[in-house]
């Protein structure tokens, strides 16, 4: 059995197996292997079972862990903007003195100021910044992370960002899923939404396709960004060309979630202002709702109606939205834990939101559960009960992280 590797012993292995894609989950539904081991072969999980039985089988590749650990599937942060230059601490101060996020944006600060800094930055600087943030994510147990462009807003600068994201993916052990968010805001060089979106279609999309830089596109549907009506032909064009769509929607005003359903998006992210109409429409669709509590904490606005979304039967993922403006903290576990307290979420619902439901938001099928044939992406925390992890509100860091079976 020399090609097998055994991980363990674990006090608990929270497998996330056989849990539903949509709707509420009680902790009692979790399938937990007590005193377990995880058997791996060729970067993939073979099975989970009692540790002692595997020890008896004398698996060659095995160094027993010393202490008590709880294992979970490696976490998936399915919405971030961690490729950027500069910072926005002055926006933070302004918001704390009462200026709104949208007003900061209207007067030329906000996203635009990060665009100016990111355009000026060298590829090397952007890459270094990203690598540092990837290391921080790893400490919180994240093994897969989505990263958006969207601070370039020209062919040259969006391509620069996507190339940096690609390089970071090859340099760092975490898996990066790139997304093009060229439709973040209308850059100053363009007179209106339509002329900019037409430019993206004719000038940017063919380059992205040629260089195979991403398979997903995002758009910010909001006042001071893009309207539903002007976005439809852009989104339809992308779909016809085989790209997946995700939408920043219902953050300050509703509209984005219904558009996401209409255009068959994979996910709609934010949803702080979603009401009954949006929630019941989402429940009838296959669109994954992605909650971004870090943006509510950063801006000081309500959390999304996470409890209601789950109770109505929506699939809820939770992500950090890590970016220099609305969500500068980047600690997914802290944010998910705080969301759980305010929105009354079970630990099972939170862990589903950052494991297999987050995988659903990225259309990835091979991770998010500790089960046979899944990628051996695993995180272990030093504690004896999985409920201690969220209780520590992000302060309990991962003791071990395995990516495709390899200890990082
Ligand atoms: O998800 N809402 C739009 N985009 C980002 C914020 C980006 C920024 O402020 O730099 C978000 O919150
Ligand atoms: Fe975002």
């Amino acid at each position: 059995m020399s090609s097998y590797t055994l991980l363990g012993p674990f006090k608990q292995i929270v497998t996330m197996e056989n849990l539903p894609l949509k709707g509420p989950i009680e902790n009692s539904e979790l399938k937990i292997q007590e005193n377990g081991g995880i058997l791996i072969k060729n970067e993939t999980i073979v099975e989970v079972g009692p540790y002692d039985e595997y020890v008896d089988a004398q698996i060659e590749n095995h160094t027993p862990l010393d202490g008590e650990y709880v294992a979970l599937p490696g976490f998936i942060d399915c919405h971030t903007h961690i490729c950027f230059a500069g910072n926005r601490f002055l926006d933070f101060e302004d918001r704390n003195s009462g200026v709104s996020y949208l007003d900061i944006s209207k007067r030329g600060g906000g996203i635009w100021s990060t665009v100016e800094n990111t355009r000026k930055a060298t590829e090397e600087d952007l890459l270094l910044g990203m690598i540092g943030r990837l290391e921080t994510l790893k400490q919180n147990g994240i093994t897969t992370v989505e990263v958006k462009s969207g601070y370039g807003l020209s062919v040259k600068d969006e391509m620069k960002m996507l190339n940096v994201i690609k390089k970071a993916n090859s340099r760092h052990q975490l898996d990066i899923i790139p997304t093009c968010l060229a439709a973040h805001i209308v850059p100053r060089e363009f007179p209106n939404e339509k002329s900019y979106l037409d430019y993206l279609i004719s000038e940017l999309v063919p380059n992205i396709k040629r260089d195979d830089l991403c398979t997903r596109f995002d758009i910010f549907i909001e006042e001071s960004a893009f309207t539903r009506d002007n976005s439809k032909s852009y989104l339809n064009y992308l779909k016809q060309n085989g790209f997946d769509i995700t939408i920043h929607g219902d953050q300050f005003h509703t509209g984005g979630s219904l558009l996401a359903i209409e255009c068959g998006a994979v996910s709609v992210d934010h949803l702080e202002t979603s009401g009954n109409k949006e929630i019941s429409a989402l429940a009838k669709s296959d669109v994954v709702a992605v909650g971004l509590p870090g943006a509510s904490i950063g801006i000081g606005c309500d959390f999304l109606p996470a409890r209601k979304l789950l109770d109505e039967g929506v699939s809820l993922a939770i992500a950090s939205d890590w970016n220099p403006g609305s969500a500068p903290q980047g600690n997914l576990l802290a944010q998910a834990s705080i969301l759980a307290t305010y929105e009354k979420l079970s630990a099972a619902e939170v862990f589903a939101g950052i494991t297999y439901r987050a995988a659903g938001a990225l259309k990835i099928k091979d991770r998010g559960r500790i089960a046979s044939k899944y990628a051996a992406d695993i995180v272990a925390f030093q504690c004896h009960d999985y409920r201690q992890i969220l209780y520590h509100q992000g302060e309990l860091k991962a003791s071990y992280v395995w990516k495709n079976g390899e200890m990082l």
Side-chain angles (χ1 to χ4, degrees), residues 216-246:
R216 302 163 38 86
F217 275 74
D218 195 344
I219 186 166
F220 186 20
I221 302 295
E222 188 51 70
E223 255 185 30
S224 86
F226 295 89
T227 56
R228 283 176 64 175
D229 286 348
N230 281 323
S231 309
K232 279 184 194 165
S233 53
Y234 177 64
L235 296 175
N236 284 337
Y237 175 84
L238 292 169
K239 280 218 81 173
Q240 278 158 15
N241 279 272
F243 292 104
D244 288 328
I245 304 297
T246 174

Side-chain angles (χ1 to χ4, degrees), residues 79-81 101 146 148 151 181 184 218 220 248 251 269-270 292 295 320-323 326-327:
H79 178 141
T80 81
H81 309 247
Y101 179 86
E146 185 257 18
K148 300 174 195 296
Y151 296 124
L181 175 58
H184 203 177
D218 195 344
F220 186 20
H248 276 73
Q251 185 179 13
D269 307 25
H270 272 298
L292 305 171
S320 73
D321 196 18
W322 194 355
N323 73 72
S326 62

Side-chain angles (χ1 to χ4, degrees), residues 17 82 94 140 146 159 194 200 240 247 251 263 398 405:
E17 250 198 306
I82 59 166
D94 284 346
N140 280 313
E146 185 257 18
M159 293 293 283
K194 194 173 171 334
L200 294 181
Q240 278 158 15
I247 289 181
Q251 185 179 13
C263 73

